[in-house]
């Protein structure tokens, strides 16, 4: 087998994501953002991505979303290797949800979801036939927010907006859904609504893979199957949640004593300092 042939073969057959020896450096300062990352995400796996601020979570998610390239190493997403694929076409096959998503506040929820079909901020009405419009309604129903179809996005609650954006991301029927702190600034009822929505989504779409960046274990749905802990740009631990989301691993990740508990599939963590 020639070196060229070996480079053209996928890192792992059937993997949704495959990172091999990936590093990212900031060119201006030569700062290492990510260092020697090896990671595979398979169909139907649901990953939580955790780490302190500055650990490299956002950069890692940007690699998965084909929004940037690594400095060294290989990144394959949905069978396509970054650097050898039109990233615009690849991005269209990846669902990406972030609270920083630019959305015109006056658009109603149904129209916001429609824009996911074209990957645009503003609607392209000529691109939306009856089948596309019906699909947007079905996704709002799947996320249990069909009553919001005619409500302006700007007056929806934080939790409602998060579910609208998830429905929008699902318009492309992606195999990979990336969620960048979707629970940011949500109150308790809104958080629980979103947790339940993510659980239903995982149960209803057995081939869908998700990666969720979060700071709080309480935000993880029972469907989360795997976790990856980042510390200073390196993988500290990754694998099944029951092996990774432990007191010792989280203590090492965040640099302070942490205790972890789990009940009925839900997690929570708190300081384990004596006398606390």
């Amino acid at each position: 087998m020639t070196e060229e042939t070996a480079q053209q073969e996928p890192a792992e057959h059937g993997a949704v994501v495959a990172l091999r020896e990936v590093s990212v450096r900031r060119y201006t300062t030569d700062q290492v953002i990510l260092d020697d990352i090896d990671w595979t995400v398979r169909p139907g796996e649901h990953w939580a991505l955790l780490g302190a601020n500055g650990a490299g979570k956002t950069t890692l998610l940007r690699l998965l979303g084909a929004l940037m390239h690594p400095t060294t190493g290989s990144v394959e997403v949905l069978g396509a290797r970054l650097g050898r694929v039109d990233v615009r076409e690849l991005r269209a096959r990846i669902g990406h949800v972030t609270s920083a998503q630019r959305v015109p506040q006056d658009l109603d929820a149904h129209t916001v979801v429609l824009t996911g079909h074209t990957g645009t901020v503003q609607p392209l009405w000529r691109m939306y036939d009856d089948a596309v419009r019906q699909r947007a309604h079905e996704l709002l129903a799947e996320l249990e927010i069909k009553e919001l179809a005619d409500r302006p996005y700007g007056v929806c609650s934080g939790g409602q907006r998060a579910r609208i954006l998830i429905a929008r991301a699902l318009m492309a029927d992606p195999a990979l859904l990336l969620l960048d702190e979707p629970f940011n600034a949500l109150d308790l009822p809104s958080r629980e609504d979103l947790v339940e929505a993510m659980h239903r989504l995982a149960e209803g779409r057995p081939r869908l893979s998700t990666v969720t960046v979060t700071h709080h274990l309480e935000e993880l749905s029972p469907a989360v199957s795997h976790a990856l802990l980042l510390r200073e740009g390196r993988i500290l631990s990754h694998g099944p949640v029951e092996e990774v989301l432990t007191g010792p691993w989280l203590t090492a990740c965040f640099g302070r004593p942490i205790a972890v508990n789990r009940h009925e599939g839900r997690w929570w963590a708190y300081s384990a300092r004596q006398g606390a």
Side-chain angles (χ1 to χ4, degrees):
M1 181 184 297
T2 66
E3 181 179 354
E4 181 179 359
T5 302
Q7 289 177 346
Q8 291 175 348
E9 290 188 350
E12 183 166 342
H13 180 69
V16 175
V17 170
L19 279 65
R20 296 293 176 264
E21 300 179 351
V22 166
S23 295
V24 173
R25 292 178 177 270
R26 183 171 287 127
Y27 289 108
T28 54
T29 62
D30 202 36
Q31 177 188 0
V32 177
I33 309 300
L34 294 173
D35 187 17
D36 197 27
I37 302 294
D38 286 308
W39 183 28
T40 300
V41 176
R42 297 175 178 83
E45 292 182 345
H46 301 283
W47 285 78
L49 179 55
L50 298 104
N53 290 335
K57 301 186 299 298
T58 297
T59 299
L60 186 52
L61 208 67
R62 285 176 59 81
L63 289 173
L64 302 190
L67 296 173
M68 64 180 296
H69 290 74
T71 306
T72 59
S74 66
V75 176
E76 291 192 3
V77 182
L78 303 179
R81 181 171 296 190
L82 298 191
R84 303 180 182 178
V85 65
D86 185 334
V87 294
R88 294 169 298 180
E89 294 182 1
L90 180 56
R91 289 170 191 160
R93 300 163 54 202
I94 303 168
H96 204 150
V97 177
T98 171
S99 58
Q101 174 70 46
R102 292 181 300 158
V103 176
Q105 301 295 291
D106 60 332
L107 294 185
D108 60 58
H110 181 255
T111 302
V112 172
V113 176
L114 278 177
T115 63
H117 179 72
T118 46
T120 56
V121 175
Q122 294 289 347
L124 301 179
W125 295 111
R126 290 177 297 177
M127 304 294 291
Y128 310 140
D129 59 19
D130 289 343
V132 171
R133 293 169 185 264
Q134 180 59 32
R135 176 165 171 73
H137 280 298
E138 291 171 354
L139 288 170
L140 287 170
E142 183 178 356
L143 273 296
E144 296 192 349
I145 47 173
K146 62 181 181 180
E147 72 281 1
L148 302 179
D150 298 322
R151 185 177 301 179
Y153 182 82
V155 302
C156 292
S157 70
Q160 291 168 340
R161 291 185 185 192
R163 283 186 282 169
I164 291 169
L165 292 179
I166 291 172
R168 178 184 184 274
L170 292 173
M171 279 296 289
D173 196 22
L176 175 64
L177 182 62
L178 308 176
L179 301 109
D180 190 1
E181 299 189 41
F183 299 89
N184 188 33
L186 297 188
D187 60 20
L188 180 59
S190 296
R191 184 193 76 185
E192 292 303 295
D193 285 343
L194 186 53
V195 168
E196 292 172 4
M198 292 305 301
H199 193 191
R200 290 193 305 272
L201 192 65
E203 290 184 327
R205 296 170 177 261
R207 298 289 293 176
L208 177 67
S209 300
T210 65
V211 178
T212 302
V213 172
T214 182
H215 288 285
H216 306 288
L217 268 62
E218 294 81 0
E219 297 172 348
L220 302 181
S221 91
V224 171
S225 57
H226 294 73
L228 184 149
L229 303 182
L230 275 179
R231 182 176 173 85
E232 298 179 350
R234 296 184 65 89
I235 292 180
L236 184 65
S237 178
H238 68 305
V241 284
E242 60 272 11
E243 298 176 7
V244 176
L245 298 184
T246 66
W249 277 125
L250 289 171
T251 294
C253 183
F254 290 100
R256 64 178 296 162
I258 293 176
V260 178
N261 281 298
R262 190 182 193 188
H263 178 66
E264 295 183 350
R266 298 293 299 277
W267 301 83
W268 72 98
Y270 53 90
S271 175
R273 287 179 173 171
Q274 292 184 350

